[in-house]
Amino acid sequence: MDNIMNSRAYKAAREKAQALLEKLTLTEKIGQLSQFGNSIYSSDEKKYEDHFREGKVGSFLTLRGAEKTNRIQRDLMNMQRTPIPAIFADDVIHGYRTTFPTPIAQSCSWDPELTARCSAAAAKEAYAGGLKWTFGPMVDIARDPRWGRIMEGFGEDTYLCSRFAAAAVRGFQGDGDAPGKDHLIACMKHYAAYGACVGGRDYNTADVSPETLHEVYLPPFKAGIDAGAATVMSAFNDVNGVPATANRYLLTDVLRDRFGFKGFVVSDAGAVGELINHGFAEDPKDAVCKAFGAGVDMLMAGDMYNDNLPALLEEGKVTMEEIDRSVLSILTVKYLLGLFDEPFVDPDGEKVFFCDEHLALSREAGAQCAVLLENDGILPLKGVENIALTGPLTHPCGKAHLLGGWCGIADPERTVTIEEGLKAAIPDANIDVIPGATFVHMEPEEIAAIAARAARSDVIIAAVGEENGMAGEAGSKSDLELCGSQEELVLALCATGRPVVCLVSAGRPLVLSKFKGKVAALLNIWQPGTEAGNSVADLLTGKVNPSGHLTTSFPYTTGQVPIYYNHPSTGRPADGHWRFESKYMDCPIGPLYPFGYGRSYTTFEYSDISLSSDKIAPDGELKVRLTVTNTGEYDGAAVVQLYVRDLVASRVRPVKELKGFKKLFLTRGASSRVELSLPASGLAFVDSKLEWVVEPGRFKLWVAEDSADERCGFDFTVTNS
Ligand code: GLC
């Protein structure tokens, strides 16, 4: 696939890099493999000048702003014997200054192009801030919402995550043959199987079969690499006993030899030194030997490579050829970025921060990513005069909570609150904002007082969920119920008899089962970003019809996790007909809301469904055609989903797998003919030899509104030839 890593520009960059490489001293070469955080600036000034003069710095992370990065770059290049610009990097995951919905939210739009647009806007702002490299997209498959980093990825499904991974890479890097101005190089992280951490406990071991590793966790990385991702980040966790950051099988045999990756690998922060904690390395020198030997080109962050690679080279434990190969991959990317031609950025570029175009995109995306879970007809709000607004997410200091994780570079004060959004959208309504709700324990009388005041209004809007830091890195939770007394608050509001519209803002699926049948509407808004209040108001007033669909299962109880739709059948598939089947005795079978689920203010109907054939060859393709009609009262977008099941195979297969989807907007009463393509290659799975195979046999397929919808099922066969 054409991308920046196989373009003419890449080849030219590599030639220039090779020529420069031959002029460098060993110290300067190893300096290119060393990334530093802002610590080099905050503590030891001597270290700063020595490092620059000796050429020991190749990259920086978390240094931000045109003025600061230009100053550092100028100092560095003036002091080095051989001027080599540093590459500045940061976690631009869902925005730089303007913040867009979190990646888990974006995936619920089922619109990869939306993610491409958000990533491109984020790149433009980050470039203006002096950055050339983002540590994103995060493409870790997550099946356990106890893991707080589910917020940073694109959900539980490999097919959908792969589509979003490629879109994010294209957005960050651009579609040209080099990143060029206003773009960043991307970084596929965290390689690999970080989301498979046992118990959903961050940094924990990942113990997955080789087949599952290749079939579930690796394809999103391959999709990003095929889209041209220039870098990959090695993960903290061990994979089946070998730390990812010292895993030669993953970093070299698979990533480079099998996937054809030509960029460079950076370790996660401190992951090389942590090989000692893993019990995989004796000391820092041994850790460097194992990480560099496995395929980690650049160290994040500090002097471990500078301090240890020369001795390891001397001892013959690493070779100059290996060092040259890593340095060449990094210098090639620097030339590809045009860093040697333009090592500095124009400070005027920062006027793009929070520009109208980006704010409009944030507002649009926030509305597209929300998922309507329940609605008894109260939404969209029509002609409501008195509204009570409460909940910890409406608290004035709660602006940062609506941004989600990795927004250290954003400006929470620019966040549009739910109150502000509502008042702007329905200026004639009397909106009583009731303070006092918190994320922690509230006394019964405090809850009663809020409920009593709320009861005076016609409709109550309760915004509950998680604080900003509750998800994200190190944000693992053992309990997915709403924290504090939020659940009691919502139920008390319901007990007033007034209709309650419950907004849920969190970085992960939460347990919402107690609200079913109680709240009038349940809208999962995730963490929408800078324009949160306007996005929410657009949804509540019907200016935008919700079209989000879940990309992660919402459990009934925490005890159900890990929970995901594409699970094997087992010999005792649960349907509740007897005791002896694979289920929990103390909660319903399956999730509260399944993967793919999402409601609308309108309804859609599928008709005239046909398959191009009921049999295809192993190299064939099936076309599924249907008519989708908007049969309701509102314009809206439908997400047609295509699921398949391989009924009999040489390895047990999931009861269902997403193999296609299409989002289409239909005005009320309109119909559209939709065609979904299902190549037989899409039915491949990883066999015991770790090869992708398509096995002949019987299959089922469904066109569906979510993974539990089996109203439109068809049988087809893959023939032997
Ligand atoms: C963190 C994260 C990683 C991030 C890096 C740099 O520990 O694991 O996702 O890119 O450090 O901030």
Side-chain angles (χ1 to χ4, degrees):
M1 301 175 81
D2 283 345
N3 60 57
I4 69 166
M5 297 304 280
N6 58 24
S7 65
R8 278 203 312 277
Y10 174 83
K11 294 179 183 71
R14 195 167 175 85
E15 285 163 13
K16 290 175 186 170
Q18 182 60 48
L20 175 58
L21 173 68
E22 289 159 13
K23 298 174 186 165
L24 299 184
T25 65
L26 175 62
T27 301
E28 289 167 338
K29 288 180 181 178
I30 298 171
Q32 289 303 305
L33 312 183
S34 302
Q35 181 178 65
F36 288 85
N38 50 21
S39 61
I40 198 168
Y41 279 85
S42 53
S43 55
D44 176 353
E45 287 304 310
K46 181 184 173 308
K47 187 173 182 176
Y48 157 94
E49 295 195 349
D50 289 353
H51 272 60
F52 281 17
R53 283 207 180 82
E54 293 169 49
K56 285 186 166 181
V57 178
S59 174
F60 290 101
L61 77 149
T62 66
L63 293 181
R64 300 159 186 154
E67 184 282 324
K68 184 167 191 175
T69 55
N70 282 341
R71 173 164 46 82
I72 293 164
Q73 191 78 292
R74 192 166 291 109
D75 290 351
L76 174 69
M77 295 181 75
N78 289 340
M79 290 183 187
Q80 287 167 319
R81 179 187 76 91
T82 312
I84 303 175
I87 182 168
F88 290 85
D90 209 333
D91 294 279
V92 184
I93 307 298
H94 55 111
Y96 183 67
R97 303 289 281 157
T98 307
T99 304
F100 302 100
T102 53
I104 188 69
Q106 290 186 31
S107 69
C108 289
S109 71
W110 290 58
D111 180 1
E113 214 38 47
L114 180 69
T115 285
R117 292 164 58 206
C118 291
S119 302
K124 190 168 184 178
E125 292 195 6
Y127 186 96
L131 300 180
K132 296 287 190 304
W133 180 18
T134 178
F135 298 130
M138 194 264 232
V139 298
D140 301 305
I141 295 294
R143 295 170 154 178
D144 189 330
R146 290 174 294 180
W147 188 50
R149 302 201 77 168
I150 192 170
M151 177 270 292
E152 302 172 56
F154 299 116
E156 70 191 43
D157 182 77
T158 299
Y159 175 86
L160 183 127
C161 179
S162 299
R163 294 279 304 277
F164 275 84
V169 168
R170 284 198 329 272
F172 285 129
Q173 297 191 161
D175 282 319
D177 65 356
K181 195 169 175 322
D182 294 342
H183 287 104
L184 309 172
I185 54 167
C187 183
M188 307 303 293
K189 72 180 186 182
H190 305 77
Y191 190 71
Y194 184 27
C197 50
V198 172
R201 204 172 74 237
D202 206 359
Y203 316 114
N204 200 8
T205 186
D207 198 346
V208 292
S209 70
E211 291 88 348
T212 299
L213 178 65
H214 280 272
E215 195 170 287
V216 175
Y217 293 96
L218 292 180
F221 289 92
K222 176 75 166 54
I225 289 161
D226 287 348
T231 69
V232 165
M233 181 184 293
S234 69
F236 289 122
N237 54 288
D238 74 271
V239 184
N240 304 334
V242 179
T245 295
N247 197 311
R248 185 173 178 84
Y249 170 72
L250 280 174
L251 291 166
T252 297
D253 302 349
V254 174
L255 186 64
R256 290 182 167 85
D257 299 349
R258 184 165 178 168
F259 289 179
F261 176 63
K262 295 193 294 188
F264 67 86
V265 173
V266 63
S267 72
D268 202 339
V272 173
E274 289 173 13
L275 297 177
I276 301 166
N277 299 341
H278 277 286
F280 196 77
E282 286 289 343
D283 53 32
K285 187 174 164 187
D286 187 33
V288 165
C289 184
K290 284 171 175 161
F292 185 74
V296 176
D297 301 297
M298 183 185 281
L299 178 95
M300 179 199 295
D303 276 315
M304 276 180 78
Y305 274 20
N306 283 330
D307 293 347
N308 292 287
L309 278 177
L312 290 165
L313 178 67
E314 191 66 36
E315 296 160 16
K317 291 181 178 171
V318 302
T319 66
M320 183 60 88
E321 184 197 7
E322 288 170 330
I323 290 173
D324 285 351
R325 184 186 57 218
S326 294
V327 178
L328 182 62
S329 66
I330 292 164
L331 292 177
T332 299
V333 169
K334 289 187 173 183
Y335 275 108
L336 193 60
L337 274 165
L339 264 178
F340 289 87
D341 300 329
E342 290 191 36
F344 310 108
V345 288
D346 174 0
D348 280 352
E350 293 191 345
K351 61 178 180 295
V352 75
F353 297 164
F354 298 111
C355 65
D356 292 346
E357 181 193 346
H358 292 176
L359 291 175
L361 177 56
S362 176
R363 178 170 184 161
E364 174 195 347
Q368 290 296 317
C369 300
V371 183
L372 181 64
L373 300 172
E374 301 287 349
N375 183 26
D376 68 2
I378 185 74
L379 293 180
L381 297 173
K382 291 292 181 204
V384 179
E385 290 178 5
N386 300 296
I387 295 173
L389 175 61
T390 186
L393 269 301
T394 62
H395 200 286
C397 74
K399 293 185 172 186
H401 305 325
L402 293 167
L403 297 181
W406 290 121
C407 61
I409 39 190
D411 177 359
E413 280 316 302
R414 291 294 301 259
T415 308
V416 177
T417 64
I418 294 170
E419 173 188 350
E420 289 162 341
L422 275 176
K423 286 180 174 174
I426 37 179
D428 298 338
N430 167 36
I431 298 174
D432 179 14
V433 183
I434 308 171
T438 69
F439 290 108
V440 295
H441 173 75
M442 290 186 272
E443 293 302 328
E445 51 274 17
E446 290 176 296
I447 291 173
I450 293 172
R453 179 169 158 184
R456 295 182 219 145
S457 294
D458 307 321
V459 174
I460 302 170
I461 298 175
V464 295
E466 287 187 318
E467 282 183 283
N468 194 18
M470 285 183 179
E473 184 171 355
S476 297
K477 290 168 94 171
S478 65
D479 181 350
L480 296 174
E481 308 261 349
L482 281 166
C483 59
S485 307
Q486 296 183 85
E487 211 165 76
E488 291 83 344
L489 172 67
V490 172
L491 294 175
L493 295 170
C494 293
T496 66
R498 294 293 185 204
V500 173
V501 174
C502 184
L503 307 177
V504 180
S505 171
R508 73 179 90 217
L510 294 175
V511 168
L512 306 171
S513 28
K514 293 198 178 71
F515 298 166
K516 198 165 177 70
K518 295 274 183 28
V519 298
L522 187 58
L523 182 64
N524 193 74
I525 63 172
W526 298 113
Q527 291 150 328
T530 302
E531 285 287 303
N534 288 329
S535 304
V536 169
D538 289 346
L539 290 162
L540 295 181
T541 59
K543 185 177 176 189
V544 175
N545 186 351
S547 61
H549 287 254
L550 296 179
T551 57
T552 171
S553 306
F554 273 52
Y556 268 101
T557 67
T558 305
Q560 277 187 319
V561 300
I563 186 165
Y564 47 98
Y565 85 97
N566 45 358
H567 58 79
S569 163
T570 78
R572 297 284 176 100
D575 59 11
H577 81 279
W578 70 330
R579 175 187 172 90
F580 306 96
E581 55 189 14
S582 181
K583 66 176 183 292
Y584 296 100
M585 296 178 69
D586 55 356
C587 75
I589 296 166
L592 177 64
Y593 300 110
F595 174 88
Y597 179 84
R599 295 183 55 180
S600 170
Y601 296 151
T602 190
T603 51
F604 297 99
E605 195 175 273
Y606 297 170
S607 60
D608 302 329
I609 305 171
S610 64
L611 275 56
S612 53
S613 169
D614 62 358
K615 51 173 72 60
I616 48 173
D619 61 354
E621 181 186 32
L622 202 57
K623 297 281 190 191
V624 183
R625 298 180 182 94
L626 67 151
T627 298
V628 183
T629 303
N630 179 340
T631 50
E633 294 306 310
Y634 291 91
D635 299 350
V639 176
V640 180
Q641 299 160 40
L642 175 64
Y643 295 94
V644 300
R645 179 177 183 176
D646 187 344
L647 294 172
V648 180
S650 58
R651 278 184 62 232
V652 297
R653 305 302 308 134
V655 294
K656 208 162 280 181
E657 293 180 275
L658 180 73
K659 293 298 178 186
F661 60 88
K662 183 164 271 183
K663 184 168 190 175
L664 65 153
F665 182 83
L666 290 169
T667 54
R668 51 184 277 197
S671 292
S672 178
R673 196 74 183 144
V674 170
E675 179 176 288
L676 294 166
S677 165
L678 175 61
S681 57
L683 304 171
F685 64 90
V686 175
D687 68 8
S688 54
K689 296 194 290 297
L690 302 185
E691 295 301 329
W692 286 89
V693 296
V694 176
E695 286 186 353
R698 293 182 301 117
F699 289 76
K700 281 193 95 57
L701 78 78
W702 297 268
V703 278
E705 291 190 327
D706 61 54
S707 60
D709 175 9
E710 298 195 344
R711 292 170 294 169
C712 309
F714 297 82
D715 299 317
F716 71 96
T717 304
V718 174
T719 59
N720 281 300
S721 62

